[in-house]
Amino acid sequence: MTVSTRVRPSSPPVPARRATPQRYLMCPPTYFAVTYAINPWMDPSRPVDVERAVRQWDALRRVHLDLGHTVEVIDPEPGLPDMVFAANGGIVIGDTAVGVKFRYPERRGEQEAYLDWFAAAGITRRHRPTFDNEGEGDVLLAGDVLLAGTGFRTDRRAHAELATLLGREVVTLELVDPRFYHVDTALAVLDGTTVAYLPAAFSPASRAELARRFPDAIIASEADAEVFGLNAVSDGLHVVLAAEAVGLAAQLRDRGFVPVPVATDELRRAGGSAKCATLVLHP
Ligand code: ARG
């Protein structure tokens, strides 16, 4: 019997990946609907299937739990159809939570609901932002730095405010494609030093900044980004992502990650997927 080894002389060794247990906050899509259009994916003339959304959300929650993570749940509120996108509820690091200020009035009712949850959860330092700031949808923690999107939702001035409130370096990234209106639709943080992203979603200057900071990044295809593959939740090893993003899943596997596909097509009708539905409560 011959044992063949695949030799890839040009590729660097794949680092060993390690999962870190996470704590997440999610909101069931009980009142999910598409009744307004604030991003190009939303079409209020096509009714959504709420039961299907609930099934997909339950399965996503189950996946997080089966991977050994903790999932906290906030009560949904009627009349707030986008509340399922918990990533837009705030930014939480340790005992500090920065609440959100939505660009569009349709979502502003969610702001206090999430701040109240943070208070009840014992998060002692809570801030209301001065400028438009859509929480973790636009601000991703990568190691010690915050990668912050602007261009469609979060005000650039919110970035400086976050740097002060959270005492971290904030890297401003300008989004240029309306389909990828939140940074978490165009970039996934896989671990403290590894990201995946769609370069075309960013301005030339931001693209250069990303290339400089993350020379080993996974470069996603437009096809995978369009099915929200980059809207992924990683624990450093497992990457929970939209099942349709098969190319990205293969790239992740090549780089030592374990892709965990989930169905999120009903949530996508509102312009969101796995990450949008999962707020990370960072330690
Ligand atoms: N319909 C929601 C909006 O446009 C979707 C939010 C998706 N959330 C995210 N983190 N990308 O605001």
Side-chain angles (χ1 to χ4, degrees):
M1 196 178 90
T2 31
V3 178
S4 66
T5 323
R6 222 162 35 114
V7 183
R8 293 185 300 170
S10 57
S11 33
V14 174
R17 308 291 178 187
R18 220 190 55 216
T20 306
Q22 306 286 320
R23 191 166 165 238
Y24 299 134
L25 176 62
M26 296 179 71
C27 177
T30 317
Y31 306 106
F32 182 59
V34 175
T35 52
Y36 48 80
I38 57 172
N39 70 53
W41 307 96
M42 301 175 86
D43 178 359
S45 70
R46 287 179 59 214
V48 299
D49 182 339
V50 178
E51 276 173 31
R52 188 176 154 79
V54 169
R55 279 198 303 277
Q56 293 185 345
W57 182 88
D58 275 332
L60 173 63
R61 177 171 162 274
R62 199 13 79 200
V63 162
H64 290 326
L65 292 171
D66 288 348
L67 290 172
H69 306 307
T70 303
V71 179
E72 311 279 359
V73 174
I74 180 175
D75 288 334
E77 291 189 13
L80 298 174
D82 272 332
M83 197 174 164
V84 59
F85 299 114
N88 299 124
I91 299 156
V92 179
I93 303 179
D95 65 351
T96 306
V98 181
V100 294
K101 190 167 176 203
F102 281 101
R103 161 98 192 266
Y104 295 109
E106 289 88 340
R107 293 198 66 184
R108 291 192 191 137
E110 299 173 40
Q111 294 168 187
E112 290 303 307
Y114 277 94
L115 273 177
D116 288 348
W117 189 91
F118 300 146
I123 297 167
T124 47
R125 296 146 65 96
R126 299 180 303 277
H127 306 277
R128 279 185 188 78
T130 314
F131 302 104
D132 289 353
N133 177 335
E134 300 209 349
E136 213 175 47
D138 257 336
V139 185
L140 297 168
L141 184 62
D144 288 334
V145 304
L146 295 165
L147 303 179
T150 189
F152 296 102
R153 300 292 184 86
T154 297
D155 193 308
R156 189 181 285 274
R157 289 168 295 181
H159 296 181
E161 191 178 15
L162 283 170
T164 309
L165 292 173
L166 294 168
R168 311 250 167 173
E169 182 189 358
V170 177
V171 180
T172 290
L173 298 173
E174 195 182 347
L175 297 160
V176 295
D177 183 329
R179 291 173 302 165
F180 308 111
Y181 57 94
H182 278 143
V183 79
D184 74 352
T185 64
L187 183 147
V189 174
L190 302 171
D191 64 26
T193 54
T194 318
V195 301
Y197 66 99
L198 176 70
F202 297 93
S203 70
S206 299
R207 234 179 278 174
E209 178 70 26
L210 285 168
R212 195 179 65 73
R213 284 185 184 259
F214 303 103
D216 299 328
I218 293 179
I219 301 301
S221 70
E222 174 141 347
D224 287 325
E226 269 192 324
V227 291
F228 278 81
L230 289 166
N231 197 246
V233 188
S234 176
D235 64 12
L237 171 64
H238 311 100
V239 183
V240 179
L241 83 170
E244 295 85 348
V246 287
L248 182 58
Q251 286 173 290
L252 289 164
R253 229 176 274 116
D254 275 352
R255 296 285 297 271
F257 293 98
V258 178
V260 182
V262 288
T264 59
D265 49 282
E266 202 60 39
L267 295 178
R268 219 164 66 206
R269 306 270 304 276
S273 181
K275 179 65 194 74
C276 300
T278 310
L279 176 68
V280 184
L281 303 168
H282 296 281

